[in-house]
Amino acid sequence: MLHKTKQGLVHIENRRSISSITECSKCISCKGGREERRELWRREGENTVTERRICCSRKKRYKQAIKYFKRYTSNMSRPPGRKQDNHKISRELFVLTYGALVAQLCKDYEKDEDVNTCLDRMGYGIGVRLIEDFLARSAVKKCRSYSETAEMIAQVAFKMYLGVTPSVSCTSATGDEFSLILDKNPLVDFVEELPAERASLCYCNLLCGVIRGALEMVHLAAEVTFLQDKLKGDAVTEIGIIFLRKTEDKKHKRNK
Amino acid sequence: MAVCIAVIAKENYPLYIRSVPTENELKFHYTVHTSLDVVDEKISAMGKALVDQRELYLGLLYPTEDYKVYGYVTNSKVKFVMVVDSSNTALRDNEIRSMFRKLHNSYTDIMCNPFYNPGDRIHSKAFDNMVTSMMMQVC
């Protein structure tokens, strides 16, 4: 015997269980049958049949098919190129890790210059590896001039890895020297000011090393330094990039 | 508006203590020191079963004739003690709570500074500014 519920007709023994509805009043397939469904498709387009229009008893049957359909379409919509692992780590963890690294280096070395050199060397090691990831993910074309390179670093690379976009300006007439001006530096979020005995420490010197290493792997020798630093009392943080003469391929040596 | 604000470490020594300069500062140091006993009493009174439900804000620790002393303990046993003038009756419980919350936030910012070693005295300018904004304006 059939019992009438709000959703439709259901067997009397199963009147509590919605999934056993045999005849659904809302479902287009149950109501109008094949002709009405075809009419609807023609009117609104092929892909409008979604879960909502399929009633419960059919939904049970088509569950597997819907699952595969959704998985297939989501795969196709992923952007081409390098496989993206969508694992995000916390920004605080990254900033605190960098801070712990600098603090430990300060404990290990007495002189500020040693700490700066060490950070630069570490950044160099990161840069020579990071450039491959950058080129694979961003798929940018070859830069034709130094200014394009500087723009690429500022607008694409910094945005991709640190989430900030520094502004670029050319500081020399020959077009060899550029400066990136960062008004917000995520690495120094928690550092208020440098301790008194570390007045000449370049806290973010790792970034200079990264840029230098990355440029060297695309055969562009450059000298990267901090021109201004907010932690030392200046108004903004400024990184200066000076492009040196292009190194010859044969003479290319990695400096340690 | 507080008259004296103190941050006490886990081992019960002061990390930061500042009071309104016109009064006898030693008296405030003594008041804060005696309030630590009350804080310890309140923490231990909860018992082991209620340790999860224990609130950070301890409330009024004890009133004297001139001042009221409020306390706040973090889960890492760092205590914040605030001495408030009794004549200032306009201060409500909510305001005291929000002042303690601001103190706690500033304290966590200091802890995140990589050059700060836990257990050192606090010498941060930002913390000083925040405390100044909470202290009473003496004309």
Side-chain angles (χ1 to χ4, degrees):
Chain A
M1 196 166 117
L2 289 174
H3 168 84
K4 193 164 184 183
T5 60
K6 211 166 61 169
Q7 277 87 3
L9 294 167
V10 80
H11 282 293
I12 198 82
E13 307 87 58
N14 299 333
R15 65 176 177 274
R16 293 238 176 102
S17 146
I18 297 299
S19 60
S20 57
I21 288 180
T22 52
E23 226 181 274
C24 193
S25 50
K26 283 195 188 151
C27 170
I28 192 142
S29 305
C30 295
K31 223 180 11 179
R34 204 177 284 166
E35 287 74 31
E36 181 141 341
R37 199 176 50 196
R38 240 188 246 146
E39 186 56 47
L40 190 74
W41 276 37
R42 235 177 282 131
R43 259 188 286 136
E44 297 181 33
E46 276 276 319
N47 298 328
T48 53
V49 174
T50 57
E51 258 184 75
R52 280 175 287 131
R53 295 188 194 267
I54 307 176
C55 84
C56 0
S57 55
R58 284 169 199 270
K59 214 191 287 188
K60 258 200 317 197
R61 252 186 285 153
Y62 296 156
K63 209 160 133 178
Q64 283 291 90
I66 293 171
K67 194 166 82 168
Y68 285 129
F69 179 66
K70 282 199 169 159
R71 204 205 293 183
Y72 179 68
T73 49
S74 66
N75 269 355
M76 296 295 273
S77 59
R78 217 199 288 180
R82 190 164 154 79
K83 182 176 118 172
Q84 303 233 5
D85 282 333
N86 288 328
H87 306 303
K88 291 195 188 241
I89 68 165
S90 144
R91 175 190 156 125
E92 266 92 19
L93 179 64
F94 176 65
V95 175
L96 287 172
T97 307
Y98 185 74
L101 175 80
V102 178
Q104 188 60 44
L105 281 176
C106 287
K107 284 191 197 127
D108 291 341
Y109 295 103
E110 272 181 27
K111 289 201 197 152
D112 293 342
E113 294 80 35
D114 291 338
V115 180
N116 291 340
T117 321
C118 201
L119 280 172
D120 191 71
R121 232 178 317 138
M122 277 194 244
Y124 180 84
I126 295 175
V128 299
R129 292 163 177 87
L130 199 67
I131 185 72
E132 303 294 336
D133 180 77
F134 172 70
L135 291 172
R137 279 218 257 168
S138 61
V140 291
K141 297 202 183 66
K142 193 173 155 84
C143 291
R144 281 167 304 204
S145 67
Y146 287 146
S147 70
E148 263 189 54
T149 315
E151 298 268 330
M152 196 65 65
I153 295 175
Q155 282 160 14
V156 187
F158 264 83
K159 181 90 181 109
M160 195 189 283
Y161 291 113
L162 286 177
V164 288
T165 316
S167 54
V168 190
S169 61
C170 183
T171 52
S172 82
T174 52
D176 276 353
E177 300 180 19
F178 296 88
S179 75
L180 305 173
I181 300 181
L182 281 156
D183 53 352
K184 232 185 358 144
N185 188 353
L187 290 176
V188 303
D189 261 355
F190 298 123
V191 183
E192 262 179 51
E193 53 179 15
L194 295 173
E197 62 272 11
R198 295 277 171 197
S200 60
L201 173 72
C202 290
Y203 188 81
C204 298
N205 220 25
L206 195 99
L207 291 180
C208 294
V210 171
I211 298 175
R212 186 169 64 90
L215 285 173
E216 196 165 306
M217 287 307 274
V218 288
H219 308 301
L220 285 172
E223 215 179 85
V224 189
T225 47
F226 266 94
L227 301 174
Q228 284 189 77
D229 198 346
K230 252 188 182 162
L231 287 179
K232 292 185 187 159
D234 301 315
V236 288
T237 310
E238 194 178 337
I239 303 178
I241 308 179
I242 304 176
F243 288 99
L244 309 168
R245 223 169 32 90
K246 256 193 181 179
T247 57
E248 305 280 342
D249 278 8
K250 285 187 205 158
K251 291 187 194 162
H252 178 69
K253 271 190 208 148
R254 281 220 200 137
N255 44 337
K256 292 266 186 271
Chain B
M1 295 293 139
V3 172
C4 170
I5 290 180
V7 180
I8 315 287
K10 192 168 59 156
E11 289 86 12
N12 289 336
Y13 62 86
L15 293 175
Y16 181 88
I17 181 160
R18 190 149 142 231
S19 40
V20 166
T22 53
E23 304 271 348
N24 184 7
E25 290 189 42
L26 205 56
K27 189 174 68 164
F28 289 128
H29 287 225
Y30 181 67
T31 315
V32 169
H33 190 259
T34 49
S35 67
L36 289 178
D37 279 329
V38 187
V39 171
D40 275 335
E41 205 185 293
K42 288 215 178 209
I43 303 175
S44 58
M46 296 287 179
K48 277 208 178 139
L50 292 174
V51 117
D52 295 327
Q53 298 162 26
R54 182 166 60 82
E55 246 203 46
L56 301 180
Y57 176 65
L58 298 174
L60 183 66
L61 297 177
Y62 70 95
T64 61
E65 53 186 33
D66 296 323
Y67 303 105
K68 290 193 233 177
V69 184
Y70 291 91
Y72 181 100
V73 188
T74 65
N75 284 326
S76 49
K77 298 283 188 290
V78 171
K79 298 136 188 133
F80 297 98
V81 177
M82 196 187 305
V83 182
V84 173
D85 203 332
S86 268
S87 56
N88 194 350
T89 49
L91 269 179
R92 287 189 355 255
D93 199 49
N94 277 341
E95 290 176 22
I96 307 274
R97 277 181 199 259
S98 71
M99 281 159 84
F100 273 126
R101 212 173 307 131
K102 270 200 286 183
L103 268 173
H104 195 173
N105 288 336
S106 300
Y107 178 71
T108 29
D109 284 339
I110 289 179
M111 283 302 269
C112 289
N113 184 350
F115 295 113
Y116 172 77
N117 300 314
D120 287 353
R121 300 214 60 158
I122 296 177
H123 291 293
S124 150
K125 274 196 209 129
F127 196 77
D128 280 336
N129 292 340
M130 199 256 333
V131 168
T132 318
S133 71
M134 284 205 258
M135 301 269 262
M136 204 153 79
Q137 301 299 324
V138 182
C139 39

